[in-house]
Amino acid sequence: MKSQWRRVRQLVVAGTALTALAVVAACGGGSSNDSASGGTTTGSADAVDAALKAGGEITYWSWTPSAQAQVTAFMKQYPNVKVNYVNAGTGNDHYTKLQNAIKAGSGAPDVAQIEYQALPQFALPGSLVDLNQFGFSQYESAYTASTWGAVHAGSGLFGLPQDSGPMALFYNKEVFDKYGIAVPKTWDEYVAAAKKLHAANPKSYITNDSGDAGFTTSMIWQAGGQPFKTDGKNVTINLQDDGSKKWTGMWNQLVQGGLVSNIPGWTDEWFKALGDGTIATLPTGAWMPGVMESSVKAGAGKWAVAPMPTYDGQPATAENGGSTESVIKQSKNPALAAAFVRWLNHDEGVKPFLASGGFPATTADLKDPAFVDKASAYFGGQKINQVLTSAAGQVVKGWSYLPYELYANSIYGDTVGKAYQSKSDLNAGLTAWQEALVKYGNEQGFQVNG
Amino acid sequence: MSALTSPLRPKRSKLLTGVMVLYLLYTIVPLAWLLLSTTKTQDDLLSTPGLWFGKSFAFFSNIKDTLTYNDGIFLRWLGNTVLYVVVGAGGATLLATAAGYGLAKYKFAGRRAVFAVLLGAVAVPGTALAVPTFLMFSNLGLTNTVWAIIIPSLVSPFGLYLMWVYATDAVPGELLEAARIDGAGEVRVFFTVALRLLAPGIVTTLLFAMVSTWNNYFLPLIMLSKPNLYPLTVGLTQWSNQATGVGARPIYNLVVTGSLLTIVPLVVAFLLLQRFWQSGLSAGSVK
């Protein structure tokens, strides 16, 4: 079963990498021609309302589970607007198509879902519409500080946050109770718990990690690292800064000690392992409960949520995952597209999103007692949102992703992944990753220091 | 002659038999896994051993769910795949047959050059050409249309090569001469005389083209962004990827059942056309 899925995954990854390379090669001359294809990009707050009144037709690409329901509700409220909803794929498939359409100069949607980690890659070359021109900066107070930061690149505002993923520690309480393990508050305690658990049951692991770029960057973020800095042209990469080393110093103990399972995330094997106690904890984003309720039925009643362990016992966490909806420059009606984004992530669209199990980025929903104090049946009646919403306010500040983060993630397995496979020093892997990223960035026309 | 080719009782080798048994298992186990897995619900898939039945028998409900999920998009994908195969692989076979026959039976300047280009084209994998093809089609405004899949499928250098080699041996020049003397035009000679002699080769080429078009993945992946135009391969991958990340909704049972339904037509085509396939492959191996 495992190998089947892996083959498919490898194919997809290989294909995506190929495309990324080829697309990049095809536009080696630079990306200055991107903005030329856009429609009118001047507008104002009034233009958005006027566009909504005038109506029209836009296309929306997203893989959010509630997208279809949201589009239907929007068109019911604004019958003169037609939204063509397209699920062009999840994650990399979606980006490959989006990138190709942008480079080709036609075929891109008006509005597209873009994960926070991928936003700089599309925003900095000028492929997205700066929503400041529509006065969207006025909505700042509606969102958490970390997600509001994530939809910015430089001074531009390139979307409104759809959701957030402040990290927390999801743990299998049944397993913890069985082996007498206390919920770890610090990473030292977490490492100790990993040892105790694996010694008590060699089939059980504290967590799984076979090398996941998104997890690594989030963990470095939580440790206070700022390995990537950019102003759009100049990039600084330092994957050996204090925060990065703090994380590897702790995580090396788990990887080198064989204390983490090598089951890759998001595979059938992984979903199974979450249900049967093989994987005892997941340090991950606050959107995880929705996934567990719908897809890890065997774990019902067993799991609980605690704040992320930290290095010094003081609360600190990072974002993991989460998306925004952005207006693509190719759009012929950017004001209407912006109006749709505003409806989706600021107005009536938020409710259907939350109903489908999403975790909000909007402060009003994060403070809503009906949300915060809701007891979760899956988590044995625990009011998990109390933990998760307070995590939303404890995200370490100052993080940014690379302007070519998707490429960086695609080569992560070839560099850091090797350290995981050989159970050797993650620092060596991170150094190799950095070297590859500096080289690639310079080839792409960035000024990269590393 | 007959002593050489008649199947004398060969010596049995335990080693060879053992190797073949291993190979048989190697090919059968994934298929068995696929069949068993299609009888399970999503929960059973994650909680029961892979190579035996689960707690429930959900084969028929899986098929029903596969065919109805997302307003029956699977049937749409199946229809697309059939369209791409019939027009793409059918057209490729027709073109390869006509061109292969022409190159084998007519002497004209530049034949050697065509042969050199053809050999080069056989050596280049289609995947490597997918991105340049995308950029070209994008300039022509053909991406996100069925033509983006059909037109590249019409070209099959390997099929052409096969037909060329096959036609050289299978169609005697004397026969063509005779037909011409009897007053048949070139087109008539091709359709009434040559085509029949070429039948085994055509079926072989058709099967090759069918399999490659049916399994075509990378080209439609980058050419198409409308799920309505996807072939099964890309559609099933999209279902499979639905299990990833924020808002993950794994539907492994439908992916597995969809995979089974996807290979059934190919298996049927092979069984029906097997006889031709064998005689085609060995053409020219014994003179």
Side-chain angles (χ1 to χ4, degrees):
Chain A
M1 183 146 189
K2 170 175 87 184
S3 61
Q4 286 263 337
W5 289 116
R6 226 171 251 168
R7 261 192 63 198
V8 171
R9 280 161 46 89
Q10 277 165 356
L11 264 174
V12 174
V13 168
T16 315
L18 246 176
T19 327
L21 280 173
V23 165
V24 156
C27 62
S31 38
S32 55
N33 54 341
D34 277 354
S35 46
S37 56
T40 154
T41 49
T42 50
S44 66
D46 297 338
V48 176
D49 294 324
L52 206 49
K53 203 170 264 173
E57 188 171 345
I58 52 172
T59 302
Y60 171 41
W61 285 11
S62 167
W63 68 91
T64 306
S66 60
Q68 182 66 61
Q70 286 171 304
V71 167
T72 309
F74 177 81
M75 290 198 290
K76 204 173 163 202
Q77 192 173 340
Y78 298 101
N80 55 344
V81 182
K82 181 160 190 269
V83 181
N84 301 307
Y85 166 61
V86 174
N87 179 354
T90 300
N92 280 341
D93 288 352
H94 166 89
Y95 296 130
T96 305
K97 290 175 204 292
L98 188 59
Q99 191 83 273
N100 284 347
I102 287 170
K103 293 298 173 204
S106 69
D110 300 86
V111 177
Q113 175 179 0
I114 295 178
E115 287 164 289
Y116 297 132
Q117 56 164 343
L119 189 83
Q121 177 154 345
F122 288 96
L124 290 172
S127 308
L128 307 179
V129 172
D130 185 347
L131 298 176
N132 277 320
Q133 63 187 286
F134 296 118
F136 277 20
S137 54
Q138 61 174 310
Y139 302 124
E140 175 170 4
S141 59
Y143 300 98
T144 62
S146 57
T147 55
W148 190 250
V151 291
H152 280 81
S155 60
L157 170 63
F158 295 102
L160 292 179
Q162 169 185 273
D163 60 346
S164 67
M167 291 174 88
L169 184 70
F170 294 78
Y171 65 100
N172 190 320
K173 197 165 181 298
E174 196 181 71
V175 172
F176 269 43
D177 289 349
K178 188 171 170 192
Y179 299 111
I181 297 168
V183 179
K185 291 198 171 52
T186 65
W187 286 116
D188 287 339
E189 288 172 23
Y190 187 79
V191 173
K195 288 178 182 157
K196 189 173 176 186
L197 172 67
H198 195 58
N201 181 358
K203 278 188 183 159
S204 229
Y205 293 90
I206 194 76
T207 191
N208 74 298
D209 187 14
S210 56
D212 173 342
F215 179 70
T216 294
T217 46
S218 287
M219 290 298 282
I220 291 174
W221 180 346
Q222 192 223 5
Q226 296 183 3
F228 310 132
K229 283 179 186 155
T230 180
D231 63 3
K233 177 131 184 53
N234 299 293
V235 179
T236 307
I237 305 179
N238 182 6
L239 281 159
Q240 287 292 290
D241 69 353
D242 291 346
S244 304
K245 280 189 161 164
K246 212 177 190 180
W247 172 67
T248 51
M250 184 270 294
W251 208 251
N252 261 339
Q253 300 174 54
L254 299 180
V255 172
Q256 293 177 355
L259 297 171
V260 286
S261 155
N262 60 6
I263 296 174
W266 310 106
T267 56
D268 53 332
E269 203 184 356
W270 181 75
F271 282 108
K272 185 176 171 181
L274 293 181
D276 67 13
T278 305
I279 295 173
T281 79
L282 278 183
T284 193
W287 36 263
M288 195 63 202
V291 175
M292 295 186 87
E293 281 163 30
S294 72
S295 308
V296 192
K297 299 225 166 65
K302 297 178 188 170
W303 286 78
V305 186
M308 275 286 267
T310 58
Y311 294 88
D312 55 6
Q314 296 303 311
T317 190
E319 291 277 345
N320 183 264
S323 301
T324 170
E325 267 72 33
S326 300
V327 178
I328 311 292
K329 262 231 175 101
Q330 255 178 41
S331 172
K332 298 214 165 50
N333 196 346
L336 183 61
F340 178 61
V341 168
R342 185 181 65 182
W343 182 91
L344 273 181
N345 293 343
H346 184 266
D347 301 333
E348 290 87 346
V350 178
K351 285 276 172 286
F353 174 78
L354 296 181
S356 73
F359 192 80
T362 35
T363 43
D365 294 289
L366 287 167
K367 280 183 193 145
D368 182 3
F371 180 73
V372 176
D373 298 326
K374 198 174 99 185
S376 163
Y378 183 94
F379 289 89
Q382 187 191 357
K383 293 173 181 168
I384 56 169
N385 288 337
Q386 291 181 346
V387 179
L388 300 174
T389 53
S390 46
Q394 293 160 354
V395 177
V396 177
K397 291 184 173 54
W399 176 266
S400 63
Y401 285 106
L402 273 182
Y404 42 95
E405 189 69 35
L406 293 175
Y407 172 80
N409 292 355
S410 75
I411 62 160
Y412 179 91
D414 308 332
T415 51
V416 195
K418 283 186 183 157
Y420 277 95
Q421 273 169 20
S422 58
K423 295 182 181 169
S424 57
D425 187 7
L426 291 174
N427 287 309
L430 287 179
T431 307
W433 196 28
Q434 174 166 339
E435 278 166 16
L437 293 177
V438 170
K439 186 163 168 283
Y440 177 83
N442 282 321
E443 285 165 7
Q444 293 305 304
F446 293 100
Q447 291 288 326
V448 190
N449 303 304
Chain B
M1 176 81 188
S2 63
L4 275 174
T5 51
S6 74
L8 288 175
R9 213 163 291 168
K11 263 194 193 161
R12 292 216 177 134
S13 155
K14 280 194 179 130
L15 182 71
L16 269 182
T17 313
V19 170
M20 288 320 286
V21 167
L22 278 181
Y23 187 71
L24 182 73
L25 283 176
Y26 178 76
T27 45
I28 290 285
V29 167
L31 206 62
W33 176 87
L34 182 64
L35 278 169
L36 286 165
S37 297
T38 53
T39 67
K40 298 181 183 183
T41 59
Q42 167 75 11
D43 289 342
D44 272 2
L45 268 179
L46 300 185
S47 58
T48 58
L51 284 172
W52 197 242
F53 291 98
K55 293 174 203 117
S56 51
F57 188 82
F59 182 67
F60 295 104
S61 67
N62 276 342
I63 288 187
K64 186 174 152 268
D65 291 349
T66 304
L67 298 182
T68 53
Y69 189 79
N70 264 0
D71 303 326
I73 189 94
F74 185 86
L75 285 173
R76 174 93 202 206
W77 293 339
L78 182 69
N80 291 340
T81 298
V82 169
L83 173 76
Y84 300 149
V85 166
V86 169
V87 182
T93 309
L94 191 71
L95 288 175
T97 307
Y101 166 80
L103 285 162
K105 290 297 152 190
Y106 296 93
K107 303 241 178 314
F108 55 91
R111 224 160 60 116
R112 285 183 151 270
V114 174
F115 191 68
V117 170
L118 180 58
L119 277 186
V122 170
V124 178
T127 311
L129 295 175
V131 173
T133 315
F134 168 80
L135 293 170
M136 202 167 79
F137 273 62
S138 157
N139 283 333
L140 294 170
L142 286 176
T143 49
N144 244 334
T145 64
V146 293
W147 302 112
I149 310 305
I150 289 176
I151 293 175
S153 308
L154 286 176
V155 184
S156 167
F158 182 69
L160 173 55
Y161 177 74
L162 204 79
M163 285 316 295
W164 185 344
V165 172
Y166 191 78
T168 308
D169 290 337
V171 184
E174 297 83 352
L175 201 62
L176 300 180
E177 276 308 305
R180 284 179 193 130
I181 289 165
D182 284 345
E186 292 304 325
V187 174
R188 189 158 169 209
V189 170
F190 174 66
F191 280 105
T192 55
V193 180
L195 217 50
R196 277 164 212 206
L197 293 167
L198 289 172
I202 294 173
V203 172
T204 309
T205 307
L206 182 67
L207 272 176
F208 270 118
M210 266 179 67
V211 172
S212 67
T213 317
W214 193 275
N215 291 338
N216 200 353
Y217 171 71
F218 192 55
L219 185 74
L221 175 73
I222 64 166
M223 284 286 187
L224 306 175
S225 49
K226 285 185 191 150
N228 278 344
L229 295 177
Y230 286 173
L232 287 166
T233 44
V234 177
L236 283 175
T237 313
Q238 180 168 335
W239 276 7
S240 171
N241 286 349
Q242 209 175 297
T244 311
V246 181
R249 293 288 180 272
I251 43 168
Y252 292 127
N253 56 332
L254 303 191
V255 177
V256 166
T257 312
S259 305
L260 179 73
L261 295 178
T262 301
I263 62 170
V264 166
L266 271 191
V267 172
V268 170
F270 260 81
L271 291 179
L272 289 179
L273 300 173
Q274 206 174 27
R275 298 176 292 138
F276 302 104
W277 169 269
Q278 283 164 346
S279 71
L281 267 186
S282 55
S285 59
V286 182
K287 265 245 157 186

